[in-house]
Amino acid sequence: MFKHLTKIVSAALIAGSFMAGSSQATDLQDILSEGKVRIGVPVDVAPFGSNDANNNPVGLDVDMATNIAEALGVELELQQITGANRIPYLLTGKLDIVISVMGATPQRALQIAFSSPYSGISGGVFGPKDIPVSSADDLTDQTIAVARGTTQDLLLSKLAPDANIQRYDDDATAAAAFTSGQAELFATADIVAKVMMTQDPSLELYPKFIMMFNPTHIGVRHDSPQLLQWLNTYVFVGMLDGSLAALTEKWLGSELPDLPSL
Amino acid sequence: MNYNFKFKALAPYTSEIIDGVILTLQLSAVTMLLGLAIGLAVAIASISPKSALRRPARIYVEAIRNTPLIVQLFIVFFGLPTLGIKLGANSAALIALSINLGAYSSEILRAGFESIRPSQIEAGRSLGLTAAQTFRHVVLFPAIKSIYPALASQFVLLMLTTSIVSSIGATELFGQAAFIDSRTYRSFEVYALITLSYLFLTLAFRSLFSAIYWLVFVRRSRA
């Protein structure tokens, strides 16, 4: 019985990894010859990627995806993703490019390749004024909601390993935990806190402390070096001609700081 | 095939996986007991001749069985704090799962009760058994025996369903797997490992339920 079981399980695993493998390796030439590029954008991080009143994806990352497909001269196939599944989507070959408010870390760079930064956000911990926290060291037993696996999660876990961190599947669920009172603080991006306060003025999401400025990068698989080089050229030119600064101005309402190339 | 399996990357997270298995077991075991208790009470109410008992029982069963578990979970976790009832993720999970299992197990138990022919109950009463004794020996025991496999399946299904509660931040096995995935990015390895863990837990629960069946029903009827 168990012998058969191990056989079945390993057969399923091999079949699974074969399927995952077969659709990979789409570099620049494959995209051009297929006439289609598959780009993942966030579904839950306004103003980078969310749905408007008519349920159409809108945001800075959505504009980036549209502009990139246009510059490539191919059809855009947009896929909405969350912070937790963006890297698996890319690695299993379901997407060619991920533009999803993604910060670069050496650990992530072991899995995927990052382009030069095209915009940026500040990550921090936000909450009501009367909670006496102004640095990670001030955290005691306050509950902090965060989307699992995001830069905020990784950084907060490192800065305050003993803090009471509640991890949720995505930013929207973590935000729900804060708005329903299940969590006292919310670790997220400054722009998310700002958008939430604009939508609901009764919410108190003031910055308690900022953990870091995160430049955002486009992600591709390591097996698409030509695509990566093309994206870097695209970002380089966009930085010089001011089109990326205009995009940041349009969606974030702030100036794009000078960002080093990668 | 260009995916390299690196199960070694999971080694530093052994204690998280063990914690996850323990919480999954605790959640499942307590929910089974609570769900069975709720199910028994509701099943008795729904075969009661009094409509004041029967009607609320039917409303409960229909409301729970016709709505998704994740919605019930979100109502308990995100909705109740608005009314001033604030529960932690694990307690909210336990309550939502028990309420859910209560509705499903009550339907299974009701089917068992209804399989007992009225003539048997009349026979029990005419042999001088009290109503409570008749219920216990003539209705409850044979009813549970006949629906035991269905109930055991429902319990195993519940154990697998506990994986949903990671969405409210509970740190059971699936929650821990998602956490490890977010730290190592070895999705395939993590989910392959917990697939085997769930499979092992299912087989363990099945063996346990078979053993209970043998002890309670087979051995007893032989003696």
Side-chain angles (χ1 to χ4, degrees):
Chain A
M1 165 76 191
F2 272 94
K3 254 188 193 167
H4 286 294
L5 217 56
T6 28
K7 267 186 201 163
I8 292 166
V9 170
S10 44
L13 285 179
I14 290 166
S17 58
F18 182 73
M19 283 190 297
S22 62
S23 55
Q24 284 185 14
T26 23
D27 208 342
L28 187 58
Q29 288 310 320
D30 305 292
I31 291 172
L32 294 178
S33 59
E34 212 174 309
K36 189 179 78 182
V37 62
R38 299 167 302 166
I39 305 183
V41 293
V43 65
D44 56 352
V45 194
F48 281 88
S50 61
N51 286 329
D52 67 7
N54 301 321
N55 231 8
N56 294 318
V58 287
L60 195 155
D61 286 346
V62 180
D63 279 2
M64 278 294 288
T66 314
N67 296 347
I68 282 173
E70 202 182 292
L72 283 166
V74 298
E75 190 193 326
L76 171 63
E77 198 179 296
L78 213 55
Q79 170 74 49
Q80 292 186 301
I81 52 180
T82 65
N85 67 22
R86 59 193 174 186
I87 291 180
Y89 253 86
L90 191 60
L91 285 180
T92 52
K94 291 185 177 64
L95 294 173
D96 305 314
I97 299 175
V98 165
I99 310 176
S100 177
V101 214
M102 197 153 47
T105 67
Q107 285 75 32
R108 280 181 189 163
L110 291 175
Q111 294 287 314
I112 63 168
F114 291 102
S115 74
S116 288
Y118 61 92
S119 186
I121 51 168
S122 298
V125 171
F126 300 82
K129 277 184 175 146
D130 58 10
I131 293 182
V133 168
S134 58
S135 78
D137 297 331
D138 296 341
L139 290 169
T140 50
D141 57 349
Q142 296 90 353
T143 45
I144 313 152
V146 67
R148 191 190 297 116
T150 54
T151 319
Q152 287 84 7
D153 176 20
L154 301 178
L155 211 59
L156 186 62
S157 309
K158 204 167 141 193
L159 290 174
D162 299 323
N164 197 349
I165 305 173
Q166 300 174 348
R167 296 182 182 85
Y168 296 90
D169 290 344
D170 48 43
D171 231 38
T173 321
F178 176 81
T179 51
S180 67
Q182 285 288 3
E184 294 159 81
L185 297 167
F186 181 22
T188 187
D190 54 351
I191 41 106
V192 173
K194 211 185 265 176
V195 166
M196 283 174 67
M197 279 215 287
T198 323
Q199 283 171 354
D200 183 355
S202 70
L203 286 179
E204 283 200 67
L205 274 168
Y206 301 102
K208 307 311 288 182
F209 59 92
I210 296 299
M211 292 187 283
M212 71 177 292
F213 176 75
N214 288 327
T216 50
H217 304 257
I218 303 169
V220 294
R221 274 186 308 278
H222 279 304
D223 62 11
S224 341
Q226 299 167 358
L227 182 60
L228 178 65
Q229 181 57 27
W230 184 86
L231 287 169
N232 275 331
T233 313
Y234 177 85
V235 170
F236 178 78
V237 173
M239 282 290 176
L240 286 185
D241 69 12
S243 61
L244 290 179
L247 213 52
T248 296
E249 177 72 41
K250 174 186 169 192
W251 288 103
L252 309 186
S254 58
E255 262 179 52
L256 185 63
D258 276 336
L259 295 172
S261 284
L262 200 146
Chain B
M1 174 162 156
N2 49 14
Y3 193 92
N4 289 321
F5 282 99
K6 283 185 188 148
F7 280 98
K8 259 192 203 156
L10 307 184
Y13 296 95
T14 313
S15 70
E16 273 83 359
I17 292 174
I18 293 172
D19 287 350
V21 169
I22 291 172
L23 188 57
T24 292
L25 281 175
Q26 285 174 332
L27 264 180
S28 309
V30 180
T31 304
M32 284 170 196
L33 292 175
L34 280 178
L36 186 61
I38 297 173
L40 200 54
V42 173
I44 293 171
S46 60
I47 55 166
S48 155
K50 292 181 189 132
S51 70
L53 287 175
R54 215 169 52 230
R55 205 160 288 158
R58 295 313 302 163
I59 291 171
Y60 161 74
V61 169
E62 295 303 323
I64 297 298
R65 297 212 322 162
N66 293 314
T67 52
L69 172 61
I70 192 146
V71 175
Q72 298 158 10
L73 196 62
F74 274 36
I75 285 179
V76 172
F77 189 68
F78 293 121
L80 290 189
T82 329
L83 306 175
I85 306 166
K86 205 150 106 185
L87 301 157
N90 293 342
S91 337
L94 187 66
I95 289 173
L97 286 169
S98 301
I99 291 174
N100 188 269
L101 180 65
Y104 282 92
S105 58
S106 83
E107 281 297 86
I108 297 174
L109 287 164
R110 188 173 65 97
F113 293 158
E114 285 176 349
S115 74
I116 308 294
R117 270 171 294 168
S119 58
Q120 284 198 287
I121 300 167
E122 284 156 17
R125 292 308 298 272
S126 54
L127 283 171
L129 295 177
T130 64
Q133 283 172 327
T134 312
F135 181 74
R136 188 176 152 206
H137 298 287
V138 181
V139 181
L140 188 61
F141 198 75
I144 289 185
K145 187 180 176 184
S146 62
I147 50 94
Y148 189 87
L151 202 58
S153 297
Q154 193 66 48
F155 281 6
V156 168
L157 195 61
L158 160 90
M159 193 274 292
L160 298 175
T161 310
T162 57
S163 56
I164 287 177
V165 305
S166 69
S167 56
I168 56 164
T171 51
E172 41 62 69
L173 186 53
F174 188 82
Q176 295 287 11
F179 173 77
I180 299 167
D181 184 24
S182 76
R183 294 307 192 262
T184 59
Y185 307 114
R186 309 305 308 187
S187 317
F188 217 154
E189 287 87 339
V190 177
Y191 293 118
L193 179 68
I194 68 150
T195 302
L196 290 176
S197 309
Y198 276 116
L199 198 58
F200 176 78
L201 288 176
T202 307
L203 293 173
F205 267 111
R206 287 215 171 278
S207 318
L208 176 72
F209 291 139
S210 304
I212 293 174
Y213 186 83
W214 191 84
L215 281 173
V216 175
F217 297 107
V218 180
R219 206 182 59 162
R220 198 162 132 163
S221 61
R222 270 188 202 156

